[in-house]
Amino acid sequence: MTQTIKDAAERLERWIARESLPLWQRVGLSPEHGGHWEALNADGSIDLPSNIRVRVQARQAFAFAFSTVRGWCDGEAMARQLMRFVAERTAHPHAGGGFTHLMNPDFQVIDQKQDLYDHAFFLLAYAWCYRAFGDRAYLDGAEALTAHLDRHFASVHGGWTEGDYDYAQRRQNPHMHLFEAMMALYEASGDGKWLARAGELFALFQTRFFDPERGVLFEFFEEDWRLKHTPEQAPVEPGHMFEWVWLLDWYHRLSGHPVEVYTEALYRQGLAIGRVASGLVLDEVLPDGTPLKNSKRCWGLTELIKGSLVRARAGDPEAEARAVQAIDDLFTYYLTATTPGAYVDQRGADDEVVLDKAPASTLYHLVVLAAEVADYAKGRAGG
């Protein structure tokens, strides 16, 4: 049992820097193709038969640029290679910008659709590659990609459409990650236009995504942002509620805009409807807490921890201890793979393992978590 937040921070940083990042640097890239594999099996071998999401390349480029800035590894070669790979192999062949969606195990593009969620992570990768390596080409890439999204996918109702394909509903999730990317671009460049774009997305959160009556975050919408389901039957993802707590606090620090009315409500209600007795976070529930999915993915717990640190700074007397316990739970339930540095992705209704692969994309959540816990511990524990 970890006793203090400082102990927990040191434990996470050791795991990231000494186990997980070295593992992915050793096995993550295909030496033949230069792209990143989708996942590891439970025994640490590459999941060779799986198709490869193009956004995995961006998320791993982010993870290694971010970790380079943190001093956890020298990830420059890996991050730069992944950004070269996507530019050369996955750029859309005729859309005039942006990226494709899916590759087969031989790293050949098999789905050319352009998806908004994917592109949020390319913007995040550009931001951190520019911040880490100082190469203006990455900032230029972000400018060009944002212009492409504005030109082809901007919606008259606000935000962007889902992509260049037929879709049944609009999602808050891509806009949440675009909010993140715009703030990262602002911090990397100092250019206020990125913070202004983040402000537009904050307005969408205020007016569309957040339900003040129920204190929840809604996920799915019609084209004009009307709720897709009745409020009582609308799916809610508690992990996203905790993630927004962290993002809103970040926005407050950059903009000065008050957000505590949202962070307090989302955190309190996320705990009430999403956290089970073992401490894990349900993947999907109704606003009253009725489970729609009894599964619990690793990333939901990382976001609970980040949200808890935000609320601890705001004065919640139980939030820091909750974060310490949740970090213990992370090691107990997810960072348990037999291969050091790998992890389990998902637990079931009885907290049993239901997906023992380690998706490469989850590293994004884990490196950000380790940094947030470390920064909090230094501020509060003098570490």
Side-chain angles (χ1 to χ4, degrees), residues 200-352:
E200 296 170 11
L201 290 156
F202 175 60
L204 269 183
F205 165 83
Q206 290 178 296
T207 59
R208 302 299 183 182
F209 305 156
F210 179 69
D211 177 21
E213 180 181 345
R214 296 167 183 82
V216 299
L217 178 81
F218 287 130
E219 294 286 339
F220 304 115
F221 301 86
E222 303 286 1
E223 193 65 39
D224 61 0
W225 291 120
R226 285 178 298 119
L227 196 58
K228 183 71 176 178
H229 310 82
T230 64
E232 296 76 18
Q233 296 300 312
V236 170
E237 296 191 24
H240 284 158
M241 293 171 63
F242 296 130
E243 198 163 3
W244 269 102
V245 170
W246 171 68
L247 289 167
L248 290 167
D249 182 68
W250 182 7
Y251 182 66
H252 165 71
R253 286 182 277 115
L254 295 180
S255 70
H257 199 291
V259 299
E260 189 165 358
V261 65
Y262 304 116
T263 60
E264 191 277 333
L266 286 169
Y267 183 72
R268 172 174 34 84
Q269 196 63 10
L271 291 175
I273 66 176
R275 190 170 182 243
V276 300
S278 64
L280 305 189
V281 177
L282 289 166
D283 288 342
E284 191 173 83
V285 300
L286 292 176
D288 67 1
T290 302
L292 292 175
K293 296 179 181 176
N294 280 301
S295 55
K296 305 114 180 171
R297 291 194 63 196
C298 173
W299 71 264
L301 193 58
T302 68
E303 303 316 301
L304 166 62
I305 297 163
K306 287 157 59 182
S308 294
L309 298 181
V310 169
R311 296 306 303 156
R313 287 194 185 97
D316 183 327
E318 299 176 355
E320 182 178 305
R322 191 176 290 121
V324 172
Q325 179 59 57
I327 292 166
D328 265 357
D329 295 338
L330 186 69
F331 277 94
T332 298
Y333 289 100
Y334 298 107
L335 309 187
T336 59
T338 54
T339 300
Y343 36 82
V344 168
D345 184 58
Q346 193 173 48
R347 296 271 176 171
D350 297 318
D351 295 337
E352 76 281 10

Side-chain angles (χ1 to χ4, degrees), residues 90-152:
T90 73
H92 202 279
H94 53 73
F99 298 92
T100 52
H101 181 63
L102 192 68
M103 297 178 286
N104 66 19
D106 291 323
F107 290 86
Q108 301 299 312
V109 173
I110 57 172
D111 187 344
Q112 292 185 359
K113 78 178 180 184
Q114 296 210 304
D115 182 72
L116 184 64
Y117 181 84
D118 295 349
H119 288 80
F121 290 101
F122 284 99
L123 290 174
L124 187 66
Y126 280 135
W128 275 92
C129 285
Y130 176 66
R131 183 168 174 173
F133 315 131
D135 187 337
R136 175 72 201 194
Y138 293 121
L139 197 55
D140 292 344
E143 300 264 10
L145 182 54
T146 303
H148 175 73
L149 296 179
D150 287 343
R151 188 163 53 247
H152 294 284

